[in-house]
Amino acid sequence: MTPDAGVYAYSAVLMGSPILLKLFEDNQPLAAQVFRLIKQQENLFTVNRADSEVMAINHAAGRHPVVVSEPVFALISVAHAVSLLPNSAFNFTIGPVVKRWKIGFQGHEVPPAADIAARLRLTDPHQVILNEAERSVFLQQPGMEIDLGAIAKGYIADRVQGFLRQQGVQQALINLGGNVQTLGCPPHDAAGWGIGLKKPFGREDELLGVLRVQGKSVVTSGIYERYFERDGRCWHHIFDPRTGYPLDNELLSITVISDRSIDGDIYTTLLYGMGVEQGLAYLADQPELDAVFVTRDRQIICSSARHFSFNPLDAAWQLRY
Ligand code: ADP
Ligand code: MG
Ligand code: MG
């Protein structure tokens, strides 16, 4: 806990990321409850530990359906629907590909093409059978694996926001490492919460600019978060489900500004697959969403500024709306 102009910041390391909670009163017990809630949710969804509900589904692949708790069924239903959208870059059955590359973990490597092709055959979301009445999930092929890494943090950020609201908190920020969700506006800053946009491949404290939001979620997904370099290329953790290789386009990062963090998490992946041009066209019809695209040729492209403002800090990058 560190007081800073009336701000009380609490931190923890959960879900493999530093977690930050900002409140405007000193309330350690509340912070502890928030961290417990995150931990409990992580335990349901993680694929990095053998005993989660999601891993129970994966272990039973090709054998039998598994009955899961309501939140797990609900999140899987959303992930399933998004994965089935036409041309979706989001595929929650990407697990076998993710596990083969091991990006961000010991033993990462560029797998032989034949291996990738074999794994891709296990990533068909049509082969996931959801039974709403039983609340069960069945992966039809042995070796199939669900991975909720692209959506779970957003869901959890929204859960934390809901919990804080229920506790009567009116102003707060939770940062789950790339997923920021906010409540209200900081009391001494009418411009809103300041959220740094990181310089891709820069130092931790190097920012391209600061976004300002009020009561919105800000989710960033970038190729510089988890990657390794080999053969002069950057192999990162956002995969193209059509090829089994990391998505390769003009983008370095995408930030989505939305009401719900789960939407931000989903759309960062979907928009990554669309790229800038198609993404901007798509967003023109989505009044609830804004996005900031950061490209390899040093542009920062904002879809609009309906739900945020942006203060650039690095003159080497060109800002466009
Ligand atoms: P993070 O916040 O950890 O950077 P993202 O929201 O960007 O996560 O999602 C990346 C994670 O999602 C990967 O680590 C992997 O577990 C999973 N993933 C990778 N590619 C896809 C994809 N195309 N569709 C769905 N999930 C994916
Ligand atoms: Mg994320
Ligand atoms: Mg995501």
Side-chain angles (χ1 to χ4, degrees):
M1 191 273 296
T2 45
D4 168 24
V7 182
Y8 293 83
Y10 304 87
S11 52
V13 174
L14 293 166
M15 306 188 288
S17 306
I19 309 286
L20 178 72
L21 172 67
K22 284 188 185 178
L23 300 172
F24 289 94
E25 54 164 352
D26 184 6
N27 196 336
Q28 178 70 52
L30 185 66
Q33 277 181 291
V34 166
F35 294 142
R36 256 202 308 280
L37 173 64
I38 295 169
K39 185 85 208 142
Q40 174 212 344
Q41 297 294 310
E42 179 191 12
N43 289 345
L44 298 174
F45 299 120
T46 184
V47 290
N48 298 320
R49 279 227 326 269
D51 58 353
S52 70
E53 284 196 31
V54 170
M55 280 311 286
I57 298 168
N58 291 344
H59 286 313
R63 294 191 289 130
H64 57 83
V66 172
V67 174
V68 293
S69 62
E70 261 170 59
V72 172
F73 191 82
L75 190 57
I76 286 177
S77 302
V78 173
H80 187 235
V82 176
S83 302
L84 292 174
L85 292 173
N87 279 319
S88 181
F90 186 106
N91 183 342
F92 82 124
T93 61
I94 197 85
V97 171
V98 173
K99 288 274 164 80
R100 183 64 185 83
W101 282 82
K102 296 200 181 77
I103 292 172
F105 295 90
Q106 287 271 314
H108 55 234
E109 62 170 344
V110 181
D115 266 25
I116 294 176
R119 298 271 173 148
L120 266 186
R121 284 194 283 276
L122 299 170
T123 64
D124 179 4
H126 293 96
Q127 297 194 347
V128 180
I129 308 302
L130 301 182
N131 183 325
E132 205 168 340
E134 282 178 6
R135 247 201 281 117
S136 70
V137 184
F138 178 40
L139 309 182
Q140 287 182 302
Q141 300 296 327
M144 284 180 77
E145 282 186 64
I146 289 176
D147 179 334
L148 297 173
I151 190 174
K153 274 193 204 170
Y155 170 83
I156 296 172
D158 291 336
R159 284 292 301 264
V160 170
Q161 186 200 44
F163 170 74
L164 290 170
R165 194 178 274 140
Q166 198 185 31
Q167 298 297 309
V169 175
Q170 283 166 3
Q171 292 132 343
L173 176 147
I174 182 82
N175 185 347
L176 300 183
N179 282 66
V180 175
Q181 180 56 291
T182 64
L183 265 169
C185 190
H188 308 298
D189 205 343
W193 298 97
I195 296 159
L197 180 63
K198 277 191 198 154
K199 179 173 168 182
F201 303 105
R203 287 193 319 268
E204 192 57 24
D205 60 341
E206 279 185 298
L207 298 180
L208 295 182
V210 176
L211 289 97
R212 293 269 170 191
V213 298
Q214 300 181 21
K216 296 279 176 188
S217 156
V218 178
V219 179
T220 298
S221 201
I223 68 170
Y224 54 86
E225 289 171 59
R226 274 191 278 143
Y227 68 96
F228 67 95
E229 281 166 304
R230 190 132 320 152
D231 309 327
R233 278 199 55 183
C234 162
W235 306 96
H236 61 85
H237 74 310
I238 307 161
F239 290 100
D240 186 338
R242 296 154 288 207
T243 65
Y245 286 82
L247 265 160
D248 189 17
N249 59 18
E250 73 278 31
L251 288 166
L252 294 174
S253 76
I254 292 191
T255 299
V256 173
I257 300 96
S258 56
D259 285 322
R260 298 194 317 155
S261 202
I262 188 171
D263 293 329
D265 222 353
I266 292 168
Y267 277 105
T268 46
T269 305
L270 288 178
L271 290 165
Y272 228 112
M274 293 182 201
V276 177
E277 197 182 331
Q278 227 191 308
L280 288 173
Y282 179 85
L283 288 165
D285 297 329
Q286 306 288 326
E288 299 309 312
L289 298 176
D290 264 332
V292 179
F293 299 85
V294 175
T295 61
R296 292 183 197 271
D297 61 352
R298 296 201 165 200
Q299 295 191 62
I300 303 166
I301 304 157
C302 303
S303 63
S304 82
R306 291 171 286 210
H307 303 297
F308 74 107
S309 60
F310 184 71
N311 176 24
L313 291 173
D314 189 330
W317 295 66
Q318 189 199 345
L319 181 62
R320 265 178 49 197
Y321 284 90

